[in-house]
Structure formats: C-alpha cells, structure tokens
Amino acid sequence: MSHFTLEFEQKAGELLFIPTGWAHQAYNLEESLAISSQFMNRNNYKSVLEEVIQCTGVESRLPHTYLTLTPEEQVKVVMSLLPESVLDSAKRSNEEVRERLMCGENSL
C-alpha cells in the first residue's frame, strides 16, 4: 500500500470529495463553516460497517449468517446492535448542531 500527501487550498464555494478509507486532516486559514456528510452505498457499505463494528465492539454479537445477508439487512443488524448510549449521543450532537445553525451561531 502506498501513501502520499496531497496539500491544497480549497476556495470558497468549492466542493471536496474524500473517498472512503482516505485519512484526512484540515487546517482552516480563517474562520470557516464546513459541512460534511457520510455517504454509504453498495460500493462502500462494507468499509463503513467494518468501521462501525470495530469502533462499537458489536462484532461478537453479529449473527453467524451476517455475511450472507443483503447490504440492507447487514446495516439493519449492525444498527440494532449499537448501544442506546451511542445512538443517544449521536442524536444529541445532531440536535445541538442543528439548533446552533438555526439560531445563527457561527461558532460551533
């Protein structure tokens, strides 16, 4: 596996797409608003689910038929195994960001 560094300056209004599995780091030269999204589809769902499984420790609870399931079924199984505290934390974070954006706060 080869590694390389790509450094550039992103201008206002430009979109940056970072492929699944690529590590990245950003440094903002001035105050900025960044909006990111995680995109999961049939091409990258295995990588996304592997990361979720690894970070949450649910691997030992996956059914023995997990690998024979459809992608949609695999997502449902993994989501059903996530601890409620993880889902609650994500929900609170999303609500906090949404509230700040709606109130016009410009520093998150």
Side-chain angles (χ1 to χ4, degrees):
M1 177 183 276
S2 66
H3 296 74
F4 67 94
T5 300
L6 175 65
E7 187 174 326
F8 66 95
E9 186 174 335
Q10 185 177 6
K11 306 290 186 203
E14 292 181 335
L15 174 70
L16 172 63
F17 175 78
I18 302 170
T20 300
W22 282 36
H24 65 283
Q25 180 177 358
Y27 175 78
N28 298 311
L29 298 174
E30 57 188 50
E31 194 170 308
S32 303
L33 171 65
I35 299 173
S36 66
S37 176
Q38 302 297 321
F39 183 73
M40 183 169 63
N41 60 26
R42 286 188 176 270
N43 296 321
N44 69 357
Y45 80 95
K46 287 181 182 179
S47 296
V48 174
L49 288 179
E50 285 172 5
E51 186 74 20
V52 171
I53 290 167
Q54 181 182 15
C55 291
T56 59
V58 299
E59 185 171 12
S60 64
R61 298 174 31 218
L62 293 173
H64 68 280
T65 58
Y66 176 75
L67 294 177
T68 65
L69 301 175
T70 67
E72 291 85 1
E73 292 169 332
Q74 288 183 1
V75 170
K76 287 179 183 178
V77 165
V78 170
M79 292 300 293
S80 73
L81 295 175
L82 293 179
E84 198 66 34
S85 61
V86 170
L87 298 173
D88 288 344
S89 176
K91 184 177 180 181
R92 280 192 307 274
S93 294
N94 286 337
E95 288 171 352
E96 181 181 325
V97 169
R98 188 177 305 115
E99 184 177 311
R100 286 183 178 188
L101 288 172
M102 297 301 285
C103 293
E105 285 188 36
N106 58 7
S107 63
L108 300 175

